[in-house]
Amino acid sequence: MTKLEGDVSYPDPAIGASSHVPDPDGLRRAAAADPAGFWADRAAELEWYEPWDTVLDDANAPFFTWFVGGKTNIVRNAIDRHLAGPNKNKLALIWLSEDGTEHRTFSYFSLARQVNQMANIIVSMGVRKGDRVTIYLPRIPEVVFAMLACAKIGAVHSVIFAGFSADALQSRIDDSESKLVITADGSWVNGSIFPLKDIVDDAARHTPSVENVIVVKRTGQDVAMDPLRDHWYHDLTVLPIAKGRCETEVMDAEDPLYILYTSGSTGKPKAILHTHGGYMVGTYTTLKYCFDIRPEDRFWCTADPGWVTGHSYLVYGPLLTGATTFMFEGGPTYPYPNRWFQLIEYYGITAFYTAPTAIRSLMRFGEAWPNRHDLSSLRLLGTVGEPINPEAWHWFHRVVGKQRCPVIDTWWQTETGMFQITQVPGEPQKPGSAGKPFFGQEAEILDDAGNPVPDGEEGFLVLKNPWPAMMRTLFKDDERYVSQYWSKYPGKYLAGDSARRDADGYFWIIGRTDDVIKVSGHRLGTAEIESALVSHPAVAEAAAIGLPHDVKGNAIHVFVVLRLGYEPGEGLAEELRRHVSQHLSPIAKPDWIDFAEKLPKTRSGKIMRRVLKARALGQPEGDLSTLEE
Ligand code: WTA
């Protein structure tokens, strides 16, 4: 049983003793003394076609490279190496449909066949090593096949969350210059159809690079098919080209694996670029150590493959460790709030990784729902995406984990690729703190001038050491990579979060310091929300801010200045909310719309969101010296 003392939770010592990291402090010291050596040892646990010459090359910092000269392919380690050993016939992937009537399972062997088939089909569409492929699919097994198939042949996948709308999809396809889009006719969302293919058709009108669209049949309604461009996936799989065998491409460790668009401070979303070698070593090691994962585990990460959490810990991490990954098409409360607990029981999930927002939404329905189920298969719990409030932590720990399972809080980002501030299972935990930097990492809290702040005080979170799964750059934008992450404090990675460190070295994340809003753990940019709003004819100017929300963490509050001739009113507010939903995403739908006469701006014309936020919260407005008249 866990011992709770004050605000610290001490897991049963047996959990730590039997884990992959029985002596975290010892390993932390060893890794700090020789980070490159630590990572080289981890990389040596995986298979390489050719070994690396240099573990870390920092000559061209901040363009760091890892395992330089090494040759591998993440698929060699996520699939191929398991085929030669005892894992061949064990389950790699279990999938359940939203309505619970369809259940599909894949051993490592059958997953390999599916991936090979899709890889051959993608090659037949003219896609070659280095080409980008956009994947816009629901949470169904084909999204896993598509990602791995791209990786296998050396194509670069760009997965777009299937909750984004046509404009968002279009700009991302266009920016990546994808030749091929892989989508489905539709996706199931709480019993209704979200029309993915219609959205692709809309988007592809303005994306000249797209030559082919592969369509997986999921929802079954009629969709328009362009005879020259569109192909049903099930028609392709019966063709002779769709063989179940395909060679895995030999890749340089530093060859790109994927790009993933994420929201930043300004302007259009940026594409984070990750590579085969370092990303593979980083996701493998963090999942193995922090969730103590072994081949006999059934790991359930509830994130969508459209976000980085789905990439690293639903698809790649669990397969790299040889575990079984579980994917559920639906959400936590449909049709009833016992859905997830029922599935934990039914499938014998051993480690369960989700977001604080989901925990808070389940808490509202009460303990009776989880208590109807036998959750004794669980060994470990984890959270990600936003700070967890201690009430939600304790509920998760007590009601779901029955005070047996450590709750592993993991702080990381699309950019970091892998956990950065976290714990391993035997370590004392402080509810609400993400823990300590991962082995080989050091973090600091700095003031504006770059001086470390005293423990307990808030400041900017930075990471001091490079790590293997770090992004290599922003796709097509090296300059922005440097200016955004490495310029404020030269030589240190600026995370974009504010945080505190306590006297025990635990980090407490407070929230974003830039114009990113985390809504239900989803990462959105104020600029994207604002540009969706100003694309409506009634809107002259808009400003979006995040305000605290009990369940979602943050809610979106927008201030809108109307064009001449438009009158504020409930009808227009509703129309604008719908407009954002249709042009950006339903997840970006504003919670409140305020009509304003004008917006507070600096003399150079920048909207002062900080002032809007302070006013909305009734807090002091701070320094207004730069405010225009
Ligand atoms: C926030 C998600 C507190 C943080 C993996 C970060 C967290 C942003 C945590 C990245 C956590 C993520 N505790 N805050 N455990 N995990 N965040 O790129 O603000 O979607 O900068 O990556 O999420 O969001 P992203």
Side-chain angles (χ1 to χ4, degrees):
M1 247 336 167
T2 304
K3 244 180 35 202
L4 272 171
E5 278 176 16
D7 66 346
V8 187
S9 156
Y10 296 89
D12 180 341
I15 292 179
S18 64
S19 75
H20 284 303
V21 190
D23 174 18
D25 290 334
L27 185 59
R28 195 164 278 121
R29 276 192 302 274
D34 179 15
F38 168 77
W39 285 114
D41 289 346
R42 306 288 76 72
E45 295 174 23
L46 296 165
E47 290 184 0
W48 299 75
Y49 297 105
E50 280 175 38
W52 57 89
D53 318 309
T54 311
V55 180
L56 166 65
D57 182 352
D58 56 6
N60 200 17
F63 298 94
F64 297 93
T65 52
W66 284 84
F67 309 110
V68 185
K71 303 236 184 268
T72 188
N73 184 313
I74 197 165
V75 170
R76 165 145 182 199
N77 283 293
I79 302 183
D80 302 356
R81 82 180 168 119
H82 302 304
L83 304 182
N87 274 343
K88 179 178 176 183
N89 291 324
K90 70 154 279 196
L91 292 183
L93 170 66
I94 303 176
W95 174 83
L96 185 74
S97 65
E98 181 184 83
D99 66 4
T101 62
E102 265 179 90
H103 160 111
R104 297 167 70 190
T105 59
F106 303 88
S107 66
Y108 274 92
F109 178 78
S110 60
L111 177 64
R113 302 269 313 172
Q114 296 283 350
V115 169
N116 292 348
Q117 192 172 42
M118 178 112 44
N120 286 320
I121 289 170
I122 293 174
V123 170
S124 78
M125 303 266 155
V127 173
R128 295 292 172 264
K129 186 169 172 174
D131 289 345
R132 273 80 57 203
V133 173
T134 292
I135 300 173
Y136 182 65
L137 279 169
R139 253 191 328 275
I140 55 175
E142 284 74 9
V143 69
V144 181
F145 308 159
M147 290 166 73
L148 294 165
C150 288
K152 179 157 189 136
I153 60 166
V156 179
H157 59 71
S158 167
V159 184
I160 314 292
F161 173 57
F164 276 116
S165 311
D167 296 356
L169 177 62
Q170 182 252 315
S171 63
R172 287 160 173 79
I173 295 177
D174 218 24
D175 187 74
S176 67
E177 300 163 89
S178 293
K179 284 184 180 171
L180 172 67
V181 176
I182 306 177
T183 189
D185 49 356
S187 65
W188 288 111
V189 181
N190 296 337
S192 314
I193 291 174
F194 189 70
L196 298 182
K197 176 62 167 62
D198 297 351
I199 293 172
V200 169
D201 289 342
D202 239 9
R205 268 194 269 285
H206 314 284
T207 54
S209 62
V210 176
E211 293 165 7
N212 290 289
V213 177
I214 296 178
V215 188
V216 177
K217 199 185 215 57
R218 175 70 197 116
T219 44
Q221 80 283 15
D222 278 339
V223 293
M225 294 290 279
D226 175 334
L228 293 177
R229 188 196 65 184
D230 302 345
H231 318 269
W232 284 110
Y233 186 58
H234 57 261
D235 288 341
L236 299 170
T237 56
V238 298
L239 298 177
I241 45 119
K243 301 186 298 290
R245 284 176 166 280
C246 171
E247 283 301 312
T248 302
E249 185 79 27
V250 176
M251 304 296 284
D252 276 336
E254 283 294 315
D255 276 335
L257 167 64
Y258 69 77
I259 55 176
L260 182 56
Y261 286 88
T262 191
S263 305
S265 308
T266 49
K268 61 179 180 123
K270 47 195 180 182
I272 305 296
L273 184 127
H274 285 292
T275 56
H276 274 258
Y279 179 81
M280 169 179 90
V281 175
T283 52
Y284 163 79
T285 306
T286 44
L287 189 65
K288 177 174 165 181
Y289 281 9
C290 300
F291 283 85
D292 191 37
I293 292 298
R294 298 148 197 279
E296 57 273 25
D297 274 303
R298 288 196 167 181
F299 187 73
W300 181 5
C301 163
T302 65
D304 191 277
W307 307 99
V308 76
T309 307
H311 279 62
S312 296
Y313 300 109
L314 170 66
V315 180
Y316 288 113
L319 299 177
L320 287 166
T321 55
T324 302
T325 187
F326 176 66
M327 179 157 88
F328 174 49
E329 189 181 28
T333 55
Y334 179 82
Y336 300 109
N338 67 326
R339 194 55 152 155
W340 280 3
F341 307 114
Q342 187 186 44
L343 301 182
I344 290 171
E345 174 176 11
Y346 187 83
Y347 290 99
I349 301 300
T350 58
F352 180 65
Y353 184 41
T354 193
T357 188
I359 298 167
R360 290 191 295 261
S361 81
L362 289 166
M363 273 170 79
R364 287 188 311 170
F365 293 100
E367 297 178 24
W369 293 101
N371 287 344
R372 284 166 55 176
H373 298 279
D374 174 2
L375 305 178
S376 59
S377 61
L378 288 172
R379 209 155 68 75
L380 291 158
L381 302 172
T383 68
V384 61
E386 46 180 336
I388 186 164
N389 47 315
E391 300 86 292
W393 192 99
H394 283 292
W395 191 88
F396 199 34
H397 184 248
R398 181 174 56 82
V399 179
V400 182
K402 309 294 179 205
Q403 283 174 312
R404 277 186 307 107
C405 307
V407 176
I408 310 294
D409 191 344
T410 62
W411 176 88
W412 60 295
Q413 308 177 303
T414 309
E415 292 87 341
T416 71
M418 64 183 229
F419 307 154
Q420 290 296 314
I421 296 180
T422 182
Q423 306 110 73
V424 293
E427 288 185 293
Q429 306 185 315
K430 300 193 181 189
S433 161
K436 297 180 181 176
F438 190 73
F439 309 106
Q441 186 53 282
E442 287 175 85
E444 266 183 341
I445 313 285
L446 304 180
D447 66 15
D448 209 41
N451 306 307
V453 304
D455 281 343
E457 280 183 28
E458 182 176 345
F460 295 96
L461 174 65
V462 299
L463 301 174
K464 287 175 70 179
N465 298 339
W467 61 99
M470 66 197 305
M471 73 178 141
R472 293 302 188 264
T473 187
L474 296 177
F475 178 63
K476 300 198 293 193
D477 205 348
D478 287 347
E479 220 167 282
R480 194 168 166 205
Y481 167 72
V482 177
S483 66
Q484 189 132 359
Y485 301 99
W486 301 94
S487 294
K488 186 170 168 75
Y489 308 116
K492 294 176 182 170
Y493 171 81
L494 178 71
D497 279 326
S498 61
R500 292 184 287 116
R501 182 174 57 194
D502 68 20
D504 299 326
Y506 280 64
F507 285 76
W508 300 74
I509 309 295
I510 297 162
R512 299 289 308 192
T513 56
D514 55 5
D515 298 324
V516 167
I517 312 179
K518 295 290 300 223
V519 183
S520 299
H522 299 320
R523 179 165 165 177
L524 296 167
T526 53
E528 293 166 278
I529 301 167
E530 291 159 6
S531 73
L533 281 163
V534 297
S535 73
H536 187 281
V539 179
E541 277 187 307
I545 58 171
L547 291 182
H549 185 278
D550 283 349
V551 175
K552 300 203 273 187
N554 289 292
I556 301 171
H557 193 130
V558 301
F559 297 84
V560 169
V561 179
L562 293 178
R563 285 184 193 285
L564 233 59
Y566 288 90
E567 286 300 316
E570 242 331 288
L572 182 58
E574 191 43 42
E575 188 179 321
L576 294 177
R577 296 176 72 234
R578 218 177 22 243
H579 185 82
V580 174
S581 176
Q582 278 167 3
H583 286 263
L584 179 55
S585 169
I587 58 173
K589 197 167 174 175
D591 294 272
W592 296 285
I593 295 206
D594 263 358
F595 295 100
E597 289 291 316
K598 60 191 269 206
L599 299 174
K601 286 189 194 154
T602 61
R603 276 181 220 107
S604 59
K606 260 188 88 188
I607 296 172
M608 296 180 82
R609 294 190 190 79
R610 170 178 69 76
V611 173
L612 287 169
K613 192 161 175 171
R615 280 182 197 163
L617 294 172
Q619 289 170 350
E621 293 178 10
D623 178 9
L624 296 180
S625 57
T626 56
L627 194 68
E628 67 173 1
E629 279 316 293

